[in-house]
Amino acid sequence: MTEQPWLWDEKTWRGHVEHVRAGRSLRPASWPGGAKVAVALSFDSDHETPALRDGEVLPGKLAQGEYGARVGVPRLLKLLDRFGAPASFFVPAVSALLHDGEVKSYVDAGHEVALHGWIHERNTALTETEERDLAFRAADVLERLTGTRPVGIRTPSWDFSAHTLTITRELGLKYDSSLMADDDCYELIENGEPTGIVELPVEWIRDDAPYFMMDRFASLRPYTPPRGVLSIWRDEFDAAYAEGGLFQLTMHPHIIGHRSRVAILTELLDHISGHDGVWFATHAQVVDHVLTSGEAHP
C-alpha cells in the first residue's frame, strides 16, 4: 500500500515539489520595437482527438470536434489575418493527419505549429516508454506535414508527467507551454538543475475550455456568458500591458470558433489593437526574444 502523504518524511515531499520547478524569470526588460506588451495567442487544434482518445467513436462527439476543422479554423485564420496577428497552433498528430493540408495552411499564413501529443493522450496514464514514443512520432508527423521540426510543446490537457520534462529535453525543444508558475516566461529547473527550457506559462482563466465546454451527460455546462469571459481576458491584458509583461491566451477552434464566441475574441483583439506598443508574436518568437534579450526584468 502506498504511504499516505501525511506520513512522508521531508525528503519525500520536498523531492516531489522540487522535481520540476520554476527557475529564473525570463521577463525581458523590453519587447521588440519598444513594444509595451507581448501578446501570444494560441489555439489547440484538438478537433476529434479527445473523443477518439476516450474511445468515443459515434458521430455525435466526433462531429463536435469536426466543427473545429471545418468551420472554426477558417474563421479564426481570417480573423488573425485581419489583425495581422501571428499565433501558435498546438496540434495533435492525429488531428494533423485527419485534416489534410490544415497544418500547412497555418505555416503558409505565418503561424507556428507546435506539439500537442499524438491523439490528445493523457501523459500521466502512460509509461515513460509510451509517452516518449508518442512524442517522437508526433514530432516526426508535424515535421513531415509542415516542413519544419516543432520547437515547442503543450502537453494535452496540460497533463505533465514525471517524465515529460526529460522527454522534452530529449526532443531538443526550446520551450514548453503547459505549466503555471508565473505570468511571464521562466526557465524550467529539473531536480535543481537549470534545463535551458523556457516555460511560456498557461492558466485556466486564460483558456476558453473551462468557460464554454458542454457535456450533456454530466454537470459540465457553459455557465459563464461570453462577455463575462471577455471582461476577464480584457482585465488580464490590461494588467499585462501596465506591467510590461506577457499576455498569453489558449483557445480551441471547436470552442472559440462559434459565432458568439468569435465575437468576443474580435472585441478583445479590437481592444488590444487600440493600444500603442503591442507586439503580436508566436510562442516561439516570444521564447526566442526572451532567450536573446539579455538580463531579465527584476
Side-chain angles (χ1 to χ4, degrees), residues 65-145:
E66 186 182 11
Y67 182 94
R70 182 180 176 89
V71 181
V73 166
R75 186 172 279 161
L76 292 166
L77 288 177
K78 184 177 179 180
L79 181 66
L80 293 171
D81 180 66
R82 171 183 160 188
F83 285 94
S88 296
F89 287 82
F90 294 86
V91 188
V94 169
S95 283
L97 291 167
L98 278 170
H99 301 285
D100 187 45
E102 184 177 303
V103 293
K104 187 65 165 58
S105 76
Y106 299 154
V107 175
D108 290 346
H111 305 299
E112 175 193 8
V113 174
L115 285 165
H116 197 47
W118 176 259
I119 196 168
H120 212 273
E121 62 275 7
R122 292 187 173 93
N123 285 346
T124 52
L126 304 176
T127 66
E128 181 177 3
T129 299
E130 289 169 336
E131 183 180 352
R132 179 180 289 106
D133 175 62
L134 292 176
F136 274 85
R137 284 167 57 193
D140 290 344
V141 165
L142 294 187
E143 181 178 19
R144 175 168 59 84
L145 295 179

Side-chain angles (χ1 to χ4, degrees), residues 268-288:
L268 177 67
L269 294 177
D270 274 328
H271 175 74
I272 291 171
S273 297
H275 290 68
D276 293 328
V278 172
W279 180 47
F280 286 104
T282 69
H283 284 44
Q285 288 169 334
V286 170
V287 168
D288 283 344

